[in-house]
Amino acid sequence: MRVVVTVLLCLVLVATACGDGGDVESQAVSATTAPAKSTPAGEDDPLVTCPSGPGAGVSDAMIEAPDGLTRQYAVDVPEQRDLPSPLVVDLYLLGGSVDLQLDLDRWSEVADAEGIVVVYPEATNLPDGGPTFWYSSPEPAADPDGADDVGFIATLIDELVDTACIDADRVHLIGTSLGANMASLVACRRPDLVASVVTVGGITPATGTCAGERQAPLLHIHGDLDPISDHAATHSDVETWAAERGCEPSPPVEQVTDQLRREDFVGCTADVTFLTIVGHGHLRPGDPPDVFDEARFGPTTQDVIAADLAWEWFDRHVRTR
């Protein structure tokens, strides 16, 4: 386990802002149902490795982004994987860190089982020693450091596709809170890179100026007790997103379990689904309940795991050219 005390202090100080970050446009990538997933290598099979990419396990690296800044990230490569492999880009909340994501995520379990490479980009700090922050507004950010987060993440995806034996048609984004806004903006501005997107507890507004005609399937996960991003307001944002993709209004509501309510929009040009986690707050379902301040973030269920829901969504979708 990596140490999270410093990050948690930051989170306590900035918790009430975790849902902020400006309006974000929605994604634009076209996708379709993925082909049947190949079987991972068995225990007795030789280790499948990529000749040019990082080895198995978690490794830290740096990359120069188009804005001229040298940016950090960590990549987690499973011991066994089919080549080329799917890639998941995981974007954390305001004030978070790569170390915190690695401590909290359930991706390691899913990635090892499914042969997924997961990359954790590091955000920049706000000026004057402020918390880590994603510049996720569709409007030009007033960033004195000139950070281009869309360019950074796009460059990182290209780098891993080129060097880590990644399937360019199976690159997926997941973001939490402000990270959800960032995931939306990346897919909106760079639809050529993204197969599908999962947003958790963030705001997913209308597409507006998204590039091109491709569209990314969207799965949005939201707790009905979210004290930071209002459930009803975010549901309205997703309804607008769906309408722009030709979906019919008022999707059918399925009560999957006592805690999970599902709405699959119908007639869309790209899949749109809204999952309500009953009795859950702002953060990812499945996060440890004793890490975050429940008074600020709301309760966290352990009966639903965000990584499992996200991978089920990602595994169904592949980018079309």
Side-chain angles (χ1 to χ4, degrees):
M1 290 286 290
R2 298 192 179 197
V3 178
V4 300
V5 174
T6 302
V7 175
L8 295 180
L9 177 61
C10 177
L11 287 172
V12 170
L13 293 175
V14 302
T16 55
C18 282
D20 296 333
D23 290 337
V24 187
E25 302 154 344
S26 55
Q27 296 92 312
V29 172
S30 97
T32 186
T33 302
K37 178 169 58 65
S38 57
T39 304
E43 294 181 0
D44 296 331
D45 294 333
L47 181 65
V48 178
T49 60
C50 180
S52 61
V58 177
S59 57
D60 300 316
M62 305 185 78
I63 189 171
E64 184 172 347
D67 53 25
L69 300 177
T70 300
R71 304 292 296 269
Q72 299 178 346
Y73 67 94
V75 60
D76 189 357
V77 178
E79 290 287 342
Q80 301 281 354
R81 59 177 174 133
D82 293 327
L83 302 181
S85 310
L87 175 69
V88 170
V89 182
D90 191 338
L91 304 174
Y92 54 69
L93 74 172
L94 172 68
S97 73
V98 168
D99 285 350
L100 180 64
Q101 287 297 82
L102 289 167
D103 278 342
L104 298 181
D105 267 353
R106 303 290 184 92
W107 275 120
S108 60
E109 300 173 15
V110 180
D112 287 344
E114 303 292 345
I116 312 163
V117 177
V118 185
V119 64
Y120 303 87
E122 191 80 83
T124 55
N125 287 89
L126 285 171
D128 302 322
T132 53
F133 185 82
W134 296 111
Y135 288 92
S136 59
S137 171
E139 301 300 326
D143 175 20
D145 294 326
D148 174 11
D149 284 335
V150 172
F152 161 47
I153 296 168
T155 300
L156 180 56
I157 291 171
D158 284 337
E159 172 73 11
L160 292 173
V161 168
D162 289 343
T163 64
C165 299
I166 297 299
D167 185 346
D169 293 328
R170 292 189 293 162
V171 174
H172 309 276
L173 302 178
I174 182 170
T176 305
S177 191
L178 184 60
N181 297 6
M182 192 69 242
S184 299
L185 187 62
V186 172
C188 174
R189 293 289 169 81
R190 291 302 310 268
D192 54 310
L193 296 178
V194 181
S196 69
V197 180
V198 172
T199 51
V200 183
I203 301 172
T204 52
T207 54
T209 60
C210 287
E213 298 180 355
R214 296 189 176 118
Q215 300 173 350
L218 168 71
L219 171 66
H220 184 77
I221 303 171
H222 213 103
D224 66 343
L225 299 182
D226 189 334
I228 295 174
S229 295
D230 181 71
H231 178 272
T234 306
H235 192 281
S236 178
D237 290 335
V238 175
E239 288 178 327
T240 301
W241 177 309
E244 292 186 345
R245 284 151 179 78
C247 305
E248 299 175 9
S250 303
V253 179
E254 177 188 4
Q255 193 73 40
V256 181
T257 67
D258 290 343
Q259 278 198 297
L260 187 60
R261 189 165 64 240
R262 184 183 185 100
E263 298 171 71
D264 292 310
F265 286 82
V266 178
C268 311
T269 55
D271 293 343
V272 180
T273 292
F274 192 103
L275 290 182
T276 297
I277 312 298
V278 178
H280 179 67
H282 182 65
L283 301 170
R284 294 171 305 186
D287 277 350
D290 56 345
V291 172
F292 298 99
D293 183 358
E294 183 172 326
R296 293 179 180 270
F297 293 99
T300 301
T301 181
Q302 299 299 297
D303 296 328
V304 179
I305 306 300
D308 294 337
L309 296 174
W311 176 243
E312 180 184 1
W313 184 260
F314 294 154
D315 199 32
R316 288 173 47 199
H317 297 97
V318 60
R319 184 188 65 165
T320 57
R321 300 181 181 275

